[in-house]
Amino acid sequence: MGVSQHEFHLKARFEKPGPKRILALDGGGVRGLLTIGILSELEAQLRQRSGRNDYRLCDYFDLIGGTSTGSIIATGLALGMSVADISALYQSVIPKVFRRYMFQGLGLLAPMFVSAPLTRALKKEFGSRTLASPDLQCGLAIHCKRIDTGSAWILVNNPGWVYYPSNSVFRLRDIVQASAAAPHFFKGVMLKLPVAGDAEKSMNAFVIDGGVAGYNNPALELAIAATDPAYGFRWKPGKDNLYILSVGTGFLRERTSAKKYRSKTFVGQTLNALRSMIHDVSLQQVATMQAIAECGQRWWINSEKEDQPSAPYLAPEPLLHFQRYDARIEEIEESERRPEHAQKLLQRELTALEMKNANSITCSEPTNLALLDEIGRAAGQLYMRAAPPPAKFDPK
């Protein structure tokens, strides 16, 4: 099989000497608007630094990867969309995707939301483009979970990836919808996987949200993919060679009293435990990344680890430059709030209802969407002052 001109172009970009820049985008449903708010401030700064008003994040980042809502944003960015374009898409689509119908139950015997609105939105935006689409301007990585084989899946558009020949035929809209198919909320996606060596045969691959595979924060896995020969990038590690920016959808620890937990239904207890597991794994990944990296500003882990030592302690030398951008949206006492807490960022108190809605991954009320965007932009402004992309990673 020959190499297309586009594949050659991507291969040349991937093989170009570093430094290399990676953007990792968390899952989080509606709270993806908080991510978009942060990215809008990042894009504005990069446009100023580049001197180009049309500068896009795909021009800066060599690889953009995401999980669930992060996969939607990542795909749009990799296709050359501006952050404003993606924000407009979210504002339009979210109320349709997270609309409840009278005939729907509580997610006990069927998903809480129907998949058709998201299917239509992704089809409209991404069309029939595949993972091999020439419209992809940079590297793209979609994180999901294949249930029938029990495999955690990372799908990348690198022609040097071991499974590129067979998996590059997948349509972007299908694998993104699979990555966003969170159990309980949406049904999974069945993908047709070609059988190697037999063009007439295919097998089914049943795929769901990558958060279930521990990839809700995909930063660590993207660091591995960038350096693991299997994915074909083979990028050189080092604090001056590899930059990973990890952007969250709002940090909160779900606190539930023993009494309240026991009063929940079994399904409610299970969902509570699943959400806590996803949070714990995501935070563990931030802590691991900070333990091996140089950081502009470290994320506060907890009262025990705090923001970790200033020098990496899992490696003799930093393996990369890592930065976490996120906002805290948990309800805590004012004395405990850090600068990145929503109410500190906005310099005003939020009501209990505002905090509850901001915590939700499905609340599509217009006022909540506006609040998430406002929090994200304020967080972005904070990080553009405190920990902007290092000048040493500016494209040459």
Side-chain angles (χ1 to χ4, degrees), residues 109-380:
L109 302 178
M112 287 187 68
F113 301 99
V114 296
S115 299
L118 181 57
T119 301
R120 288 193 293 268
L122 295 177
K123 181 178 181 180
K124 180 180 178 182
E125 292 300 322
F126 302 150
S128 296
R129 297 181 181 95
T130 68
L131 201 58
S133 171
D135 294 331
L136 289 167
Q137 304 298 304
C138 64
L140 174 66
I142 304 299
H143 298 73
C144 48
K145 169 79 172 181
R146 184 175 172 186
I147 290 297
D148 55 303
T149 62
S151 303
W153 260 20
I154 312 172
L155 301 161
V156 299
N157 66 330
N158 188 346
W161 173 35
V162 170
Y163 287 112
Y164 182 83
S166 58
N167 291 354
S168 63
V169 301
F170 287 142
R171 294 184 304 194
L172 294 176
R173 72 186 200 226
D174 294 332
I175 57 178
V176 166
Q177 183 148 10
S179 179
H184 179 69
F185 296 106
F186 296 100
K187 67 179 181 180
V189 175
M190 193 72 76
L191 301 175
K192 290 289 186 182
L193 184 64
V195 174
D198 193 335
E200 301 298 320
K201 288 186 178 181
S202 64
M203 57 182 175
N204 291 329
F206 187 65
V207 188
I208 63 172
D209 194 306
V212 179
Y215 294 159
N216 200 63
N217 174 354
L220 179 59
E221 197 59 32
L222 284 169
I224 294 172
T227 52
D228 188 332
Y231 292 94
F233 296 102
R234 300 173 182 265
W235 291 341
K236 185 179 178 181
K239 64 182 179 67
D240 298 326
N241 300 322
L242 192 60
Y243 171 52
I244 297 185
L245 175 60
S246 171
V247 184
T249 56
F251 173 92
L252 72 151
R253 285 188 295 179
E254 189 165 336
R255 306 169 191 236
T256 306
S257 68
K259 181 179 179 181
K260 185 177 180 181
Y261 182 81
R262 287 197 301 268
S263 69
K264 290 177 177 286
T265 64
F266 179 72
V267 171
Q269 292 179 359
T270 302
L271 290 173
N272 183 279
L274 177 61
R275 287 193 297 266
S276 296
M277 179 275 293
I278 289 175
H279 161 269
D280 292 342
V281 172
S282 295
L283 188 61
Q284 181 187 54
Q285 295 205 14
V286 173
T288 300
M289 293 295 285
Q290 293 185 163
I292 63 173
E294 172 188 78
C295 301
Q297 179 170 301
R298 292 173 177 268
W299 182 260
W300 179 276
I301 302 299
N302 53 38
S303 59
E304 180 181 30
K305 295 182 180 180
E306 298 185 343
D307 57 4
Q308 300 174 286
S310 58
Y313 51 88
L314 278 182
E317 295 291 336
L319 297 178
L320 69 154
H321 187 101
F322 173 76
Q323 185 61 56
R324 176 70 169 176
Y325 292 171
D326 203 356
R328 297 180 189 272
I329 54 175
E330 55 190 345
E331 284 198 78
I332 54 177
E333 296 295 326
E334 184 175 2
S335 60
E336 298 178 39
R337 295 173 190 166
R338 299 184 56 76
E340 67 274 11
H341 191 278
Q343 306 199 63
K344 285 273 192 179
L345 291 168
L346 302 181
Q347 298 183 345
R348 71 172 189 271
E349 288 297 306
L350 297 176
T351 67
L353 179 59
E354 285 178 314
M355 291 300 292
K356 177 183 177 182
N357 289 343
N359 289 177
S360 171
I361 65 171
T362 63
C363 180
S364 59
E365 294 292 329
T367 53
N368 185 51
L369 304 187
L371 177 61
L372 290 169
D373 177 73
E374 185 183 9
I375 294 171
R377 288 176 184 273

Side-chain angles (χ1 to χ4, degrees), residues 5-22:
Q5 184 176 357
H6 173 67
E7 290 172 342
F8 179 81
H9 169 74
L10 275 181
K11 189 171 183 289
R13 179 171 184 178
F14 296 154
E15 293 180 354
K16 182 180 178 181
K20 295 299 184 183
R21 298 159 294 272
I22 300 173

